[in-house]
Each structure stands twice: as C-alpha cells, then as structure tokens.
Amino acid sequence: MEEINYKDYGVTSISGRYITYDHIDEFLNSLPATFKTEVVGRSVRGEAIKSVVFGNGPNRILMWSQMHGNESTTTKAVLDLFNFMNQESMEASKIWNACTIKIIPILNPDGARDFTRINANEIDLNRDAQNLSQRESKVLKKVYEDFTPDFCYNLHDQRTIFNVGTTHKPATVSFLAPAFDEDRNNSPTRKLSMQLIAAMNSKLQEEIPGQVGRYDDGFNANCVGDAFQMKGTPTILFEAGHYYNDYDRDVTRVYIFKALVKSLLTIRDNEITDYTVDQYLSIPENGKQFVDIGVYNIDFENNGLTSAEFTPIQYKEVLKNGKVEFVPMVHVFDKEPPEVFAHKSLNCNDENDVKWLRENDILKLLS
C-alpha cells in the first residue's frame, strides 16, 4: 500500500464539531459529475437527505454518517475521502474500478442542525431499525434495499469517557462487528466484518498504537448495525473518539479517514481473508475510565477549595450561536471504575492550576 499523506486530501475548510448541510453543500456541489449526488429523502422537518455515489466496481459499499446529529467527526472524514477519490492517484483509481460506494453524509439533518443525538421527533434513529417510525429510518432502509450493499459502514462518534481496555490510553477510534443474535454467534458475514476491522486496526496501530478499542457487542435488534447484520450484510460500526486535546475532533478525523482508505484497499485487493477473527478479538474492549478534567486536592482539609481529594469534571457540549461550547460540570459515575484517568489533570496546590480553574469557571464547581 502506497503511503497516503493526509495533508494532500484533508478538507480543512470544514472543521469543528458543528456540521450541517449548510457547511458541506458547497463542497458536495463542487464535486465533478462522476460523483452522483441525489436527494434520497426528507427529514421530519423536510430538509433534504443526500447521498453521493462514486466508483464503478463490483464491490458495493454503503456508508452513512450523523445518524446521531451531534456526531460529526466521521462526516468530516468522508469529505476527506471524497477529496481523496477525486484526485488522480493509482490507489484511488484502483478503488474506483473495484468498488461502487454510496455515502449519506448526514442522515439526520434536523439533529445535526440542533446538535442533538435524536431527530426532530426526539427519537434515537439507531434504536428504530425494527419500528421504522421515523422518516430518516425509512430513508436508510430504502437506500439499503435499493443499493444492495456487500458491506455497510455505520459511522458514529463516541464520548471522551472511553479508554482502551484498562489502560490510560483514550479510545481514539473504536470498532464493532455487531452481533446478529442474542448469543452473539459468528456467521460468515459477521466474520468478514471482524476481518475487515482487523485490517483497519493493523494500519491504525502504526499511527496511534494502543488507542484502538472494541465496542461492546451486546445484541439489540433495534440497532441498525445489528439489524443489517441479521440480514446477512457484513456491517461495521465506526466510533470516532478522543485524541489528546482534540475536542474539535479534527485530529481523530484523520485516523477515521485512514481507516476508511485501508478498508477500501483491503476490499479492492481481496485481502480480507489475510486477517483473522482472533486479530479482531485481540483488540481490547473499551473501558469507561476517563473524565475530561481531574481536579486533585491532596491538601483539601487545609486549603478550603473543596471537601474532596479528587473531583471529576466532564464537559457538556452546548450549541450557542452556531458553535459548540464545552461547559464543565461535576461528573457522577454510573459505576465508579477502580481507577479514574483524566485527559487533563490539575492540582489545587499549584497556583497556576488554580488560576486556570478559576479562569475556566471550574473553581466555583468545587465549593
């Protein structure tokens, strides 16, 4: 595989966490006619849901992003993928001839506009695979049935709480080969999902060693990935997670892009069977041991800032004036882990740390 320089393909004009069709339409409209863009349906509020199809090969791959409207990292990555496929390179041309790829960049445009997980009817589309109660769910089902994909990529973001296994490394990217039954058995198609994930992991370990996790595979027929796996289509869940100090997720998008390219090259070259189920299973499961900020106060009995030796702080993402702001809040664990890791650690006995806490409206949370 020829080394791909992300700087040659990254669509850096589109960045940050708040991504709607308003942000990406100009880019989509600038793609040449070989990228066939069409409206495949409408959201609850009537906004267009679009797809882009490119390539003319026998391997049919369906991807969708922003099923949860506030999970935009993978949308940015697929724009980078469009840009890569629009360049004259040997790798791109070989993928073009081997694959036909259909991508819905934003499945939930109402949720994207509101920066919420749910759609305008307050329904989680990734729990609507059986009921099909929502317009957006019906759009995806029809696209799936009409396109008849050989592979499905379900593209998401995950919270900053996740670490890899029990290590202090963040789960910057996580994958899952969804189950198709309660017993989480393996079928030939689920095995293909696992092998393709193993291929992507092999590439990411070169880039971010120890920062790839495996998502919980508890079966839920209402989840779209499980539902498509039940239909016999190899399906992969992508979860874009946290990289150090990358709250805009413009570093993580690079690794999602590289994973996508690796997967397409693996399919193109018929190399999926070069990878094994055991390699997939060797990816550690995600833990939930991170908080955004850990405030340590060993001398809490004397300094009076807080009555706790340790205070976990988690950001709440809030949309204000078209931009996502990160509002700190004291975090309460559903189940406190044996060890807590922090993306940023601060010491109440350090004057500079206390100044930072005060300037960032956190010190008041400790009292």
Side-chain angles (χ1 to χ4, degrees), residues 48-281:
I49 300 170
K50 301 175 183 180
S51 74
V52 181
V53 180
F54 58 94
N56 51 32
N59 299 290
R60 302 174 69 79
I61 302 156
L62 173 64
M63 308 182 194
W64 61 94
S65 184
Q66 275 181 273
M67 166 176 274
H68 295 145
N70 59 354
E71 298 179 4
S72 59
T73 306
T74 52
T75 300
K76 295 182 291 186
V78 298
L79 300 184
D80 300 334
L81 180 64
F82 290 146
N83 213 28
F84 168 71
M85 293 301 299
N86 193 30
Q87 307 297 318
E88 293 183 1
S89 74
M90 183 178 299
E91 299 287 20
S93 64
K94 287 181 178 179
I95 293 172
W96 197 280
N97 293 325
C99 302
T100 300
I101 302 167
K102 186 163 191 165
I103 301 178
I104 301 174
I106 302 178
L107 178 64
N108 180 7
D110 298 341
R113 202 163 290 284
D114 296 343
F115 198 70
T116 60
R117 176 184 176 92
I118 53 181
N119 76 342
N121 286 334
E122 300 186 354
I123 298 297
D124 184 336
L125 300 179
N126 205 27
R127 301 295 184 272
D128 194 40
Q130 301 302 325
N131 291 336
L132 297 171
S133 65
Q134 301 303 300
R135 285 187 180 184
E136 299 89 347
S137 305
K138 293 172 184 175
V139 167
L140 181 59
K141 179 176 184 288
K142 186 173 190 308
V143 168
Y144 170 84
E145 291 175 343
D146 291 347
F147 187 65
T148 60
D150 298 303
F151 297 91
C152 286
Y153 293 4
N154 187 8
L155 305 173
H156 287 264
D157 276 43
Q158 67 181 10
R159 292 173 292 164
T160 59
I161 64 172
F162 292 104
N163 62 302
V164 175
T166 57
T167 74
H168 68 283
K169 291 194 173 185
T172 302
V173 178
S174 296
F175 295 108
L176 173 67
F180 69 92
D181 65 2
E182 290 281 358
D183 294 330
R184 295 179 283 185
N185 291 309
N186 283 350
S187 62
T189 53
R190 192 182 185 207
K191 287 179 181 178
L192 285 174
S193 302
M194 293 176 174
Q195 291 170 291
L196 193 52
I197 290 171
M200 291 187 284
N201 182 54
S202 72
K203 174 61 179 173
L204 290 179
Q205 290 302 328
E206 299 172 4
E207 306 272 345
I208 44 172
Q211 290 177 232
V212 179
R214 180 161 52 93
Y215 216 73
D216 174 78
D217 68 346
F219 175 70
N220 186 343
N222 296 311
C223 293
V224 172
D226 304 53
F228 286 173
Q229 200 83 272
M230 290 166 66
K231 293 177 181 292
T233 304
T235 301
I236 294 173
L237 174 69
F238 289 66
E239 294 279 356
H242 188 68
Y243 186 87
Y244 176 71
N245 209 28
D246 179 38
Y247 283 92
D248 281 338
R249 300 273 170 96
D250 284 323
V251 176
T252 298
R253 74 187 282 184
V254 177
Y255 301 119
I256 296 293
F257 164 77
K258 290 187 176 185
L260 290 171
V261 173
K262 174 63 176 179
S263 74
L264 297 178
L265 293 174
T266 302
I267 292 170
R268 179 200 73 182
D269 295 334
N270 295 313
E271 291 178 347
I272 295 179
T273 54
D274 291 356
Y275 301 89
T276 68
V277 170
D278 285 343
Q279 287 174 321
Y280 166 78
L281 294 174

